[in-house]
């Protein structure tokens, strides 16, 4: 045998094999993790996303499906080629047109696939990278916050594994959205799942606060490139989704909040209701007793601070300071209650030490200019090089600039050169009036209509630690990041919001629960609930009620507890009002916050009855006492109910029947002819006191001196004038409640007689009144009464 020829043939064969291997690697790569199998082609695009359980390919193939999209110089690029280094478990994506190469580490785990950017060069050509977007055929349930989509059989998800990786599709240069979530979005064929990271290691100009504050300069964050951007992909049976999310959380060392050692999303306080109140060292025992009587698990202070920023406690409520608050926390803990406090995240009051007497140099600026001329300490006109930022009147609540250690308020800036801040108030907010030199920076402070300022990112991280330090010192176990959008003021978009929550979470040394005003993808792992809906705009039925109900679908799609928001127990709240709300909570299996201040609880003669009703309804709801059919009836806002306790864990659920609508309109009569309207009312329910709701409907005018006559003998007079939209409500007592056009309690009327008792059967009701106005309104009345009762009982231990 010719040795040289044999060696040559072997070399050629090896070269052919190597070429085939490289060709195969470039042609496609298959990755598996748990039930997930994906294939990527030589252009770095998905060719398959399959579940081993169903053997279905969930990739939508009629549109582009790149593993990663590059944003460079404000343009988007798909990879032009991909190779896979099997030995190093590394995908290499080339974006030839942009001149960028990105290396992605691959880790195949038992439950999910991890993909992480480990190299991205050259960094100066990269604005951002987007994971996907991945088009798929699953669209029945789209979890927009968490990035998980479901079809009743299978779940497919993308999880962000750090805060630099944001859920979404890089909507703008700030990297933020006012949407509830865009980690997954519906499409005509199913949905997209997506995430992105921004290269923050360079100075930028962004349109901050969701695009409102234009051209805000943002300093580079050293080391914050797209390297480290990290996601997990997974699929599983739909009924195993929450378990899989917990497995990923633990495997990837994500925040994993617990209650008594149990993951909060599986704990016994998931979705439970709590009390919001004002209290201090003197009345903490009283408020704990109220909270316990209502069967609620947390007492949450609505406003304990004299200033945000350093979180200085109110001296009137906590004369002993933090030690006094700690005593309150310890008392609540002894009663097996959480004790919480309300903040506005990183909002800084003008009386806080961050502002006065020496303003911190880390306050956030929307922008700045330079002093054109020197100014003395008393000068009321200050010349600047440019009017930009100072002339923004849409977002300029406090009209404040910072020069050195002085804060100055100004009326306006001239529109032409020389650009001058006019009518300046020197030494604002307790700072010191000072002279300043040509060329000094004049910074426009980032402010808000709540009369507050904001920190830059460095100072924001300190404020997050301030909250954590307070919680550690006092033992506070409940918090809301209300005004979480304040973290946008650093100019870093949703990254700033995620970072604030993560900094605070990492520094608190004990278990706690937390809500937020916004919903972000990484924050999902920290948050305990979203509880949106305020009570200040109307009564129980009218204040943002549809908004509260609309939120329930969002919570369901994103594995968050159903919550109905805040409600107000006032000094005139009644049992029917309270039970109307409690029935909705039971129908949606939703928790709520009950705002009940000490003064209102002391003044309302029904307080104990109301608190008992909350306790019993919540015990039934949390004990799964209501059937699916009953829950559907309880959801209907037109239905009314009463829950009667029989024994521990057993109740009668009474349903109210409601009559058809009876209407009285203005009409002309001959002189001397009676002016009343006659209604024939057939009461289908058992004998009980007359109950009704009377509403004035129309566009203008009013009605006064309304008179009802029952069965030609019992007469009830309402000697008042009611405007359009106002209503009267009778709950079978001698006290009639008056509501304004927004449904807010306006007062009461005491009947001029005892409440009529109506037996079941036919009744004649005459109604008379005086109509005011050319376009007279109508009187609309519906009668109601307690009808059927169904016995219910707890089906699970509480």
């Amino acid at each position: 045998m010719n040795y040289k020829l044999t060696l040559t043939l072997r070399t050629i064969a090896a070269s052919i094999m190597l070429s085939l291997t490289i060709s195969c690697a470039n042609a496609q790569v298959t990755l598996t993790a748990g039930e997930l199998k994906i294939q990527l082609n030589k252009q770095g695009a998905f060719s398959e996303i399959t579940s081993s359980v169903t053997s279905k390919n969930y990739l939508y193939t009629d549109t582009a499906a790149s593993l990663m999209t590059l944003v460079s110089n404000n343009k988007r690029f798909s990879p032009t080629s991909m190779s896979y280094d099997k030995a190093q478990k590394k995908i290499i994506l080339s974006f030839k047109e942009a001149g960028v190469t990105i290396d992605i580490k691959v880790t195949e785990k038992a439950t999910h696939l991890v993909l992480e950017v480990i190299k991205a060069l050259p960094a100066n050509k990269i604005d951002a990278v987007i994971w996907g977007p991945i088009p798929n055929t699953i669209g029945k349930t789209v979890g927009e916050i968490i990035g998980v989509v479901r079809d009743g059989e299978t779940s497919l998800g993308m999880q962000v594994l750090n805060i630099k990786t944001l859920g979404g599709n890089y909507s703008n240069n700030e990297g933020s959205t006012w949407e509830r979530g865009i980690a997954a979005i519906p499409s005509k064929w199913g949905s997209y799942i997506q995430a992105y990271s921004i290269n923050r290691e360079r100075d930028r100009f962004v349109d901050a606060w969701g695009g409102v504050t234009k051209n805000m300069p943002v300093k580079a964050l050293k080391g914050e490139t797209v390297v480290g951007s990290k996601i997990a992909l997974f699929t599983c049976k739909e009924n195993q989704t929450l378990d899989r999310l917990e497995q990923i959380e633990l495997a990837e060392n994500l925040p994993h909040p617990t209650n008594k050692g149990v993951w909060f999303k599986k704990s016994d306080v998931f979705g439970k209701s709590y009390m919001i109140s004002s209290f201090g060292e003197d009345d903490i025992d009283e408020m704990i007793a109220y909270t316990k009587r209502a069967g609620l698990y947390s007492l949450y202070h609505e406003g304990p601070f004299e200033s945000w920023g350093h979180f200085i406690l109110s001296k009137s409520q906590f004369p002993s300071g933090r030690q006094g608050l700690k005593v309150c926390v310890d008392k609540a803990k002894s009663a097996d209650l959480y004790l919480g406090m309300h903040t506005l995240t990183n909002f800084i009051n003008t009386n806080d030490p961050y502002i006065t007497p020496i303003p911190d140099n880390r306050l956030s600026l929307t922008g700045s200019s330079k002093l054109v001329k020197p100014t003395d300490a008393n000068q009321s006109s200050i010349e600047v090089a440019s009017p930009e930022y100072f002339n923004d009147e849409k977002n300029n609540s406090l009209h404040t600039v910072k020069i050195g250690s002085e804060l100055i308020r100004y009326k306006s800036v001239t529109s032409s050169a020389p650009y001058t801040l006019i009518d300046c108030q020197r030494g604002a907010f307790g700072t010191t009036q000072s002279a300043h030199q040509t060329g000094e920076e004049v910074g426009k402070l980032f402010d808000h209509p709540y009369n507050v300022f904001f920190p830059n990112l460095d100072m924001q991280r300190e404020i997050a630690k301030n909250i954590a330090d307070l919680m550690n010192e006092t033992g506070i176990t409940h918090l809301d990041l209300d005004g979480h959008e304040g973290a946008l003021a650093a100019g870093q978009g949703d990254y700033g919001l995620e970072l604030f929550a993560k900094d605070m979470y990492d520094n608190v040394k004990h278990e706690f629960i937390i809500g937020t005003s916004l919903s972000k993808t990484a924050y999902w792992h920290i948050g305990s609930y979203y509880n949106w809906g305020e009570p200040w705009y109307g009564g129980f039925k009218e204040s943002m009620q549809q908004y509260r109900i609309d939120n329930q679908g969002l919570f369901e799609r994103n594995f968050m507890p159903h919550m109905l928001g805040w409600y107000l127990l006032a000094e005139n709240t009644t049992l029917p009002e309270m039970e109307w709300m409690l029935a909705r909570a039971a129908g949606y299996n939703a928790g709520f916050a009950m705002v009940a201040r000490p003064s209102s609880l002391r003044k309302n003669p029904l307080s104990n009855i109301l608190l008992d009703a909350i306790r019993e309804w919540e015990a039934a709801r949390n004990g799964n006492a209501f059937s699916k059919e009953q829950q559907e009836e309880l959801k209907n806002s037109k239905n009314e109910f009463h829950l009667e306790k029989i024994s521990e864990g057993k109740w009668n659920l009474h349903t109210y029947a409601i009559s058809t609508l009876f209407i009285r309109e203005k009409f002309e009569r001959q002189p001397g002819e009676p002016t009343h309207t006659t209604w024939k009312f057939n009461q289908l329910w058992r004998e009980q006191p007359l109950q009704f709701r009377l509403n004035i409907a129309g566009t203008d005018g009013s009605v006064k001196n309304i008179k009802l006559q029952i069965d030609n003998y019992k007469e009830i007079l309402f000697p008042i004038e009611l405007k359009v939209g106002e209503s009267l409500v009778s709950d079978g007592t001698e006290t009639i409640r008056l509501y304004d056009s927004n449904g807010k309690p306006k007062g009461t009327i005491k009947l001029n007689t005892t409440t009529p008792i109506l037996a079941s059967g036919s009744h004649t009701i005459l109604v008379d009144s005086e109509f005011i106005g050319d376009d007279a309104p109508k009187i609309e009345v519906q009668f109601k009464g307690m009808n059927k009762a169904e016995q219910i009982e707890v089906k699970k231990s509480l």
Side-chain angles (χ1 to χ4, degrees):
M1 175 178 286
N2 187 318
Y3 176 76
K4 289 185 178 180
L5 178 60
T6 301
L7 184 60
T8 301
L9 289 172
R10 286 178 178 174
T11 302
I12 293 171
S15 297
I16 292 172
M17 289 298 295
L18 178 60
S19 176
L20 288 172
T21 301
I22 293 172
S23 176
C24 183
N26 284 335
Q28 117 176 339
V29 59
T30 299
L31 304 172
T32 59
E35 300 92 330
L36 177 69
K37 174 186 173 185
I38 68 169
Q39 285 190 345
L40 300 169
N41 64 22
K42 62 182 180 180
Q43 282 82 37
F46 289 93
S47 55
E48 180 182 334
I49 302 176
T50 303
S51 165
S52 62
V53 176
T54 63
S55 299
K56 293 179 182 178
N57 182 8
Y58 294 100
L59 179 69
Y60 180 72
T61 56
D62 288 350
T63 190
S66 297
L67 171 63
M68 178 169 283
T69 302
L70 169 71
V71 183
S72 178
N73 196 25
N74 295 319
K75 295 181 181 179
R76 299 192 178 208
F77 301 91
S78 297
T80 49
S81 64
M82 181 204 74
S83 61
Y84 182 58
D85 187 327
K86 190 172 182 180
Q88 296 189 49
K89 291 280 187 178
K90 181 173 69 174
I91 292 171
I92 304 161
L93 297 177
S94 175
F95 299 84
K96 187 176 181 180
E97 187 178 351
V100 170
T101 301
I102 296 176
D103 292 6
I104 299 171
K105 180 183 177 182
V106 177
T107 307
E108 296 164 299
K109 297 192 175 183
T111 50
H112 59 285
L113 177 70
V114 177
L115 302 172
E116 180 182 6
V117 175
I118 56 174
K119 184 187 294 185
L121 296 172
N124 62 1
K125 290 188 176 182
I126 301 172
D127 299 340
V129 295
I130 303 165
W131 293 98
I134 303 175
N136 64 87
T137 58
I138 299 177
K140 183 179 179 181
T141 303
V142 178
E144 60 267 58
I145 300 170
I146 196 169
V148 178
V149 295
R150 298 173 271 162
D151 65 3
E153 179 183 43
T154 299
S155 290
L156 174 67
M158 177 189 292
Q159 290 290 281
V160 301
L161 299 183
N162 50 39
I163 61 170
K164 75 158 51 187
T165 313
L166 305 172
N169 190 14
Y170 188 58
S171 303
N172 48 58
N173 65 357
E174 180 192 29
S176 72
T177 176
W178 291 117
E179 298 291 333
R180 289 302 192 197
I182 54 172
I185 58 173
S187 67
K188 61 183 179 181
W189 56 76
S191 62
Y192 282 109
I193 51 177
Q194 54 194 10
Y196 69 100
S197 290
I198 294 175
N199 179 12
R200 303 176 190 276
E201 197 181 43
R202 55 183 176 179
D203 292 344
R204 299 180 295 139
F205 287 87
V206 306
D207 293 339
W209 201 277
V212 173
T213 300
K214 302 295 183 183
N215 204 38
M216 177 179 173
V218 178
K219 293 292 186 182
L221 299 180
K222 186 176 181 181
E224 271 299 320
T225 66
V226 299
V227 172
S229 182
K230 191 176 183 182
I231 63 166
L233 294 174
F234 75 93
T235 185
C236 64
K237 292 180 179 179
E238 180 169 328
N239 61 10
Q240 297 174 350
T241 307
L242 195 60
D243 292 334
R244 182 57 51 87
L245 292 172
E246 183 180 21
Q247 291 165 346
I248 294 172
E249 218 171 70
L250 292 170
E252 302 304 324
N253 197 31
L254 296 174
H256 188 72
T258 58
N259 172 60
K260 297 178 182 178
V262 178
W263 188 34
F264 184 84
K265 291 179 174 62
K266 292 181 178 179
S267 74
D268 59 4
V269 294
F270 183 80
K272 284 195 174 180
S273 304
Y274 55 97
M275 182 174 285
I276 296 178
S277 190
S278 56
F279 57 87
E281 296 173 41
D282 291 342
D283 50 13
I284 180 62
D285 295 317
E286 180 184 10
M287 287 312 305
I288 286 174
Y290 286 136
T291 307
K292 293 295 287 185
R293 181 159 191 156
L296 303 177
Y297 79 106
S298 180
L299 173 59
Y300 177 91
H301 200 301
E302 64 179 327
F305 301 112
E306 288 185 355
S307 77
W308 300 310
H310 283 82
F311 302 101
I312 299 169
L313 289 167
S314 165
K315 293 181 179 63
S316 63
Q317 297 176 98
F318 300 99
S320 304
R322 293 191 174 189
Q323 181 56 37
L325 177 57
K326 184 179 187 306
V327 170
C328 294
V329 172
D330 291 342
K331 287 183 175 183
K333 186 176 180 181
S334 296
D336 198 26
L337 293 177
Y338 283 79
L339 195 131
M341 61 183 185
H342 184 259
T343 72
L344 278 176
T345 307
N346 66 338
F347 289 40
I348 306 172
N349 296 113
T350 58
N351 63 329
D352 191 82
Y354 281 129
I355 305 300
T356 185
I358 301 175
D360 197 291
N361 288 328
R362 298 168 298 168
L363 290 168
S364 180
L365 305 178
T366 63
S368 64
S369 185
K370 299 290 184 182
L371 272 180
V372 172
K373 296 178 180 179
T375 175
D376 63 34
N378 298 305
Q379 197 168 313
S380 61
S381 297
I382 298 175
E383 190 174 340
V384 293
S386 168
E388 187 181 9
Y389 308 114
F390 311 111
N391 58 9
D392 180 5
E393 287 302 317
K394 291 182 180 178
N395 313 285
N396 198 356
S397 299
L398 293 173
H399 282 74
T400 303
V401 298
K402 179 179 179 295
I403 310 178
S405 294
E406 182 185 5
L407 298 185
I408 302 168
R409 301 186 76 176
Y410 65 98
K411 181 179 180 181
S412 60
V413 62
T414 56
S415 57
S416 58
Y419 301 112
T420 306
L421 304 178
I422 61 175
D423 196 12
C424 294
Q425 300 173 32
R426 305 299 297 270
F429 305 113
T431 59
T432 301
Q433 296 178 224
S434 307
H436 304 286
Q437 303 304 312
T438 300
E440 282 193 57
E441 182 182 56
V442 183
K444 171 64 182 66
L445 290 186
F446 206 131
D447 62 26
H448 185 273
Y450 281 20
N451 291 333
V452 293
F453 297 114
F454 292 106
N456 69 11
L457 197 68
D458 177 56
M459 184 177 170
Q460 173 184 297
R461 302 195 73 174
E462 181 175 291
I463 290 176
K465 189 173 183 299
N466 289 347
I467 294 178
D469 289 346
L470 173 64
M471 295 177 70
N472 290 333
E473 184 177 342
T474 63
I476 285 286
T477 50
H478 189 173
L479 181 75
D480 265 357
L481 293 181
D482 196 5
H484 200 167
E485 65 273 14
L488 294 172
Q492 297 292 353
D494 288 350
Y495 173 80
L497 279 77
E498 303 280 28
L499 182 63
F500 189 97
K502 182 69 161 50
D503 280 343
M504 193 213 65
Y505 177 86
D506 287 344
N507 280 285
V508 177
K509 298 175 182 178
H510 55 262
E511 293 182 334
F512 66 97
I513 54 177
I514 185 170
T516 178
S517 58
L518 299 178
S519 49
K520 298 300 172 183
T521 303
Y523 175 85
W524 182 89
H525 297 281
I526 293 173
S528 309
Y529 59 81
Y530 312 125
N531 196 23
W532 299 316
E534 298 180 2
W536 324 119
Y537 316 112
F540 277 70
K541 297 182 181 182
E542 288 81 7
S543 190
M544 304 179 72
Q545 189 58 29
Q546 191 56 51
Y547 170 80
R548 299 168 192 265
I549 291 170
D550 291 344
N551 284 329
Q552 304 313 306
L554 176 80
F555 303 151
E556 183 69 26
R557 293 191 297 272
N558 291 282
F559 298 97
M560 291 299 286
H562 288 244
M563 300 294 287
L564 279 176
W566 295 21
Y567 290 91
L568 179 64
L569 193 165
E571 61 188 66
N572 52 9
T573 299
T574 64
L575 181 61
E577 288 176 311
M578 183 65 74
E579 289 201 292
W580 183 91
M581 184 279 293
L582 292 168
R584 307 293 85 82
Y588 289 99
N589 191 21
F592 54 85
M594 184 56 60
V595 181
R597 294 160 179 146
S599 60
S600 296
L601 288 164
R602 293 166 192 152
K603 291 177 182 177
N604 193 318
L606 300 175
S607 285
N608 286 340
I609 293 172
L610 299 175
L611 297 175
D612 290 347
I614 293 171
R615 182 187 65 245
E616 297 307 320
W617 277 93
E618 283 291 279
R621 177 178 76 87
N622 292 315
N624 199 26
F626 301 103
S627 68
K628 295 296 182 184
E629 293 75 18
Q630 287 169 335
Q631 283 184 297
E632 289 304 310
E633 291 296 315
L634 290 162
K635 287 177 184 178
N636 189 335
S637 61
K638 295 180 180 179
N639 295 338
E640 297 186 43
F641 302 87
H642 170 63
L643 194 67
E644 176 191 19
K645 184 176 182 178
I646 301 172
S647 61
E648 205 62 40
K650 289 186 179 182
W651 303 266
N652 277 328
L653 177 64
H654 296 274
T655 303
Y656 279 90
I658 300 176
S659 74
T660 57
L661 187 67
F662 291 88
I663 299 174
R664 168 176 164 79
E665 300 181 79
K666 182 179 180 181
F667 54 84
E668 299 299 330
R669 295 288 196 189
Q670 295 181 28
E673 185 178 0
T675 59
H676 65 253
T677 300
T678 302
W679 296 334
K680 292 295 184 180
F681 165 52
N682 185 27
Q683 180 163 303
L684 301 177
W685 44 89
R686 67 180 185 270
E687 181 178 88
Q688 57 196 278
L690 176 67
Q691 302 178 61
F692 62 85
R693 183 182 186 91
L694 183 154
N695 182 62
I696 307 304
T699 58
D700 195 15
S702 61
V703 183
K704 68 178 182 178
N705 294 328
I706 300 171
K707 182 170 59 177
L708 297 180
Q709 182 176 287
I710 315 298
D711 293 335
N712 298 314
Y713 85 100
K714 191 79 169 183
E715 191 170 279
I716 306 172
L717 176 65
F718 306 106
I720 60 169
E721 183 174 338
L722 296 176
K723 298 177 183 178
V724 167
E726 294 184 329
S727 57
L728 296 175
V729 175
S730 165
D731 295 316
T733 69
E734 294 179 8
T735 299
I736 305 298
R737 290 174 285 125
L738 171 63
Y739 293 89
D740 67 16
S741 57
N742 292 317
K744 295 184 73 171
K746 189 177 178 181
T748 60
I749 304 169
K750 191 171 180 62
L751 289 183
N752 61 334
T753 182
T754 57
T755 306
I757 306 297
L758 270 64
S760 60
S762 180
H763 299 274
T764 300
I765 299 178
L766 307 184
V767 57
D768 210 344
S769 63
E770 296 177 39
F771 291 97
I772 311 298
D774 295 331
D775 187 14
K778 302 175 184 179
I779 298 175
E780 296 179 343
V781 175
Q782 280 189 297
F783 301 97
K784 72 172 188 177
M786 198 179 295
N787 196 13
K788 65 177 181 177
E790 299 175 280
Q791 186 169 311
I792 62 172
E793 61 182 279
V794 165
K795 296 183 181 65
K796 70 176 183 181
S797 60
L798 298 177

